[in-house]
Amino acid sequence: MQSTDDVLVSYNPANGDEIGRVRMTSCQELDRIVADARAAYRDSGWQSLLPHKRALILHAVADGLTAEKESLAKLQMRDNGKPMGECLGMVDSAVGTFRYYAGVCETLETDVTPSRGDYVSFTVLEPYGVVAAITPWNSPLMNDATKVAPALAAGNAVILKPSEDSPLLAPELMRIAREAGLPQGQLQVVQGRGADIGAALVEHPDVRMVSFTGGTVAGRVIGRTAGERLIPAALELGGKSPHVVFADADREHAIAAVVAGIFGSAGQSCVAGSRVFIQHDIYDEVLERIVERASALRVDFPDVDGVEMGPLSSLHHRRRVIDFVDRARTEGGRILCGGQIPDDPRFAAGAFYLPTVIDGLSPRSRTCQEEAFGPVLVALPFDDEIDLVEKANDTDFGLACGIWTENFKKAWRIGRALDAGSVWINTYKQSVTSTPFGGFKDSGIGREKGIDGLRLYAQVKSLYLGLHEQPMKIAK
Ligand code: NAD
């Protein structure tokens, strides 16, 4: 991305070609867009549409995404450089999310609560009104769907703000939703930089709820504004997830998972397993094999068959990763592989970086504490369960973790002891729409996905239906 005063230019990170431009939304336009969203919320009939009819439109959005799967995947591949296979998977994920929330919308039940008098009391779910959905660049369509589908299912009007680094998918989702029959104004897109239009959106007095996925720094700012405004904020933030290999693990699978867990999506995944903890007795052997595999990964253009790692999402993001690895060097880290731009001249115009493995660092070093959001794995040894839990939990983050052991009792103990919203035992990076997702500690507040993913976008209203023939004493 590059921006002039009012235009964002999107570049293909594989070769530097310009692939699209979008106009940034001005603050005046934002006022009009929020007013349109309010009007749609009040008057379009979406909110009062019976859930099974709302569900039909959500299914139609899924149909529209399916019909354009190939072209949407290609657009994302060019917008942020992920391998085509991953991009096709992201469209499938967005489709699945719309279908899932169509199902939840139709079947979600609320409560008849035990009465303590002559009345029936029960709850219903009411939408908030206008909801802001703010998303990052790493998986645009998938992250957009995770917010938009449940927020619409709950009856809200949604204003979606994609990242300035991947602005091209959100307008497509809006178009497809309109074509699927979603009323005008019910889903709108604003474009621009986070600190400008993003902040203005969160501060807007008619925005009644905000759902944010992105970095911890922006999450804190948004949480602060939402706190002052007394509106709910769901925050899905960063991670520095530990991936643990015990001596009794199935080594082949553990090693493959560690490599896929960090170098998939070139490490630009919130749940990337960016710290591998290997038990002392097997540390040298397992680390050597991880390094061997990482070095052999096929780094190539994202549309090439067999590519295992594409470029990073932009040249400026690669700059951040280069600086991160340079700092690891100054902290005393040993770069066991990667740590540089590939020297193949075919990649000269792209944002490529080699899979990097580092060891020899203190767990308290900044390299082991901060998120690189790139293909950088740090390796750390541990002695026993106590040592592992202490080291692995010694970070501000708590998004996810992976545990490899053949001993299920140990897996259970460690899974319960680690600070993480998602725990993967003898698997890694599974993420399905039906299972709640979110972080502990600085990795976020709230849970997306699952049935409660819809409740996130709704407020509970309690109603009492009086049954007494003479509920009040009437003065004669
Ligand atoms: P970012 O925080 O820089 O930006 C995310 C979005 O927020 C963008 O749309 C940006 O324009 C907007 N934004 C930034 N500052 C804002 C502000 N003050 N007010 C309102 N909006 C603002 O993050 P990024 O670089 O786009 O994405 C990478 C980060 O996202 C990483 O930290 C990664 O771990 C995290 N992430 C988390 C999850 C999750 O589910 N937990 C998923 C994907 C990415």
Side-chain angles (χ1 to χ4, degrees):
M1 180 274 306
Q2 231 177 45
S3 58
T4 62
D5 272 355
D6 62 353
V7 174
L8 294 173
V9 186
S10 179
Y11 294 96
N12 183 341
N15 55 24
D17 289 351
E18 179 180 327
I19 53 161
R21 290 175 173 236
V22 297
R23 222 170 47 74
M24 289 200 263
T25 309
S26 69
C27 284
Q28 290 80 352
E29 283 170 317
L30 178 67
D31 281 340
R32 184 186 50 70
I33 286 167
V34 177
D36 287 352
R38 276 197 80 195
Y41 174 67
R42 228 180 23 231
D43 307 326
S44 76
W46 177 254
Q47 187 198 346
S48 55
L49 202 60
L50 290 171
H52 66 292
K53 295 198 170 158
R54 233 186 262 155
L56 283 179
I57 294 187
L58 298 178
H59 275 301
V61 177
D63 294 340
L65 291 167
T66 305
E68 297 188 32
K69 175 173 170 178
E70 193 81 17
S71 62
L72 290 167
K74 258 190 198 142
L75 187 63
Q76 166 162 339
M77 179 187 73
R78 291 156 71 222
D79 206 16
N80 77 355
K82 278 198 178 180
M84 186 63 181
E86 288 187 33
C87 295
L88 287 166
M90 305 270 154
V91 184
D92 284 341
S93 162
V95 169
T97 300
F98 273 93
R99 294 217 188 282
Y100 178 79
Y101 282 107
V104 175
C105 184
E106 267 203 87
T107 56
L108 189 67
E109 292 175 352
T110 50
D111 302 318
V112 175
T113 49
S115 73
R116 297 173 72 109
D118 221 355
Y119 53 81
V120 178
S121 54
F122 51 97
T123 59
V124 293
L125 294 174
E126 301 283 14
Y128 282 102
V130 179
V131 165
I134 302 177
T135 54
W137 46 259
N138 61 326
S139 309
L141 193 59
M142 190 178 90
N143 281 319
D144 297 349
T146 300
K147 298 186 184 311
V148 170
L152 288 176
N156 297 283
V158 182
I159 300 180
L160 172 61
K161 193 214 120 12
S163 167
E164 54 272 47
D165 285 329
S166 58
L168 302 183
L169 273 300
E172 297 302 310
L173 176 60
M174 180 173 80
R175 172 183 59 75
I176 289 168
R178 280 287 294 134
E179 289 167 5
L182 189 74
Q184 175 79 31
Q186 209 69 43
L187 171 63
Q188 298 180 80
V189 172
V190 297
Q191 298 276 14
R193 285 183 285 265
D196 303 333
I197 200 69
L201 180 62
V202 179
E203 283 161 15
H204 199 289
D206 289 328
V207 168
R208 300 305 315 157
M209 189 262 171
V210 56
S211 176
F212 170 78
T213 296
T216 298
V217 173
R220 244 183 250 289
V221 174
I222 290 169
R224 205 174 296 133
T225 306
E228 271 164 18
R229 293 200 47 225
L230 297 177
I231 61 168
L235 304 172
E236 297 288 348
L237 310 177
K240 191 79 181 176
S241 299
H243 205 156
V244 181
V245 186
F246 279 100
D248 67 355
D250 170 342
R251 276 182 221 176
E252 292 306 321
H253 288 105
I255 290 165
V258 168
V259 170
I262 178 66
F263 299 117
S265 304
Q268 302 164 118
S269 159
C270 53
V271 293
S274 50
R275 291 181 295 158
V276 60
F277 286 92
I278 307 169
Q279 200 154 18
H280 249 132
D281 329 6
I282 58 165
Y283 184 81
D284 291 337
E285 182 216 322
V286 168
L287 183 57
E288 193 184 319
R289 291 178 59 196
I290 289 171
V291 170
E292 221 170 77
R293 277 189 177 236
S295 315
L297 284 175
R298 177 157 177 201
V299 176
D300 214 323
F301 293 107
D303 56 350
V304 164
D305 270 352
V307 58
E308 290 176 291
M309 205 178 95
L312 298 181
S313 67
S314 63
L315 289 172
H316 61 265
H317 183 53
R318 183 176 68 178
R319 183 70 253 165
R320 289 197 284 257
V321 173
I322 291 171
D323 291 346
F324 187 92
V325 175
D326 283 349
R327 197 182 57 210
R329 287 187 174 95
T330 65
E331 287 188 309
R334 281 195 306 154
I335 312 293
L336 303 175
C337 66
Q340 63 184 68
I341 293 169
D343 49 22
D344 186 334
R346 291 185 306 139
F347 300 140
F352 290 88
Y353 196 77
L354 290 175
T356 300
V357 181
I358 307 173
D359 91 333
L361 287 161
S362 146
R364 290 299 306 159
S365 64
R366 287 181 67 185
T367 308
C368 293
Q369 291 289 319
E370 295 177 14
E371 190 183 35
F373 216 56
V376 183
L377 176 69
V378 287
L380 295 153
F382 70 92
D383 295 327
D384 52 21
E385 290 182 36
I386 292 170
D387 184 41
L388 167 74
V389 170
E390 195 177 307
K391 285 177 176 158
N393 279 347
D394 189 15
T395 140
D396 292 335
F397 292 112
L399 194 56
C401 69
I403 301 164
W404 289 87
T405 170
E406 293 294 283
N407 178 335
F408 77 88
K409 291 179 189 163
K410 181 159 66 183
W412 172 258
R413 282 193 299 274
I414 300 298
R416 295 300 304 266
L418 291 183
D419 300 331
S422 295
V423 176
W424 289 299
I425 297 167
N426 294 340
T427 182
Y428 200 74
K429 245 191 187 181
Q430 305 291 333
S431 185
V432 290
T433 315
S434 48
T435 304
F437 179 80
F440 280 30
K441 302 194 307 200
D442 288 5
S443 290
I445 300 175
R447 294 290 177 271
E448 291 191 307
K449 304 190 178 184
I451 293 173
D452 288 336
L454 192 151
R455 293 183 199 275
L456 192 63
Y457 297 96
Q459 39 200 342
V460 175
K461 182 180 277 177
S462 303
L463 289 99
Y464 293 75
L465 193 63
L467 297 178
H468 206 288
E469 289 301 337
Q470 291 176 348
M472 309 303 281
K473 268 199 181 129
I474 313 276
K476 297 257 161 87

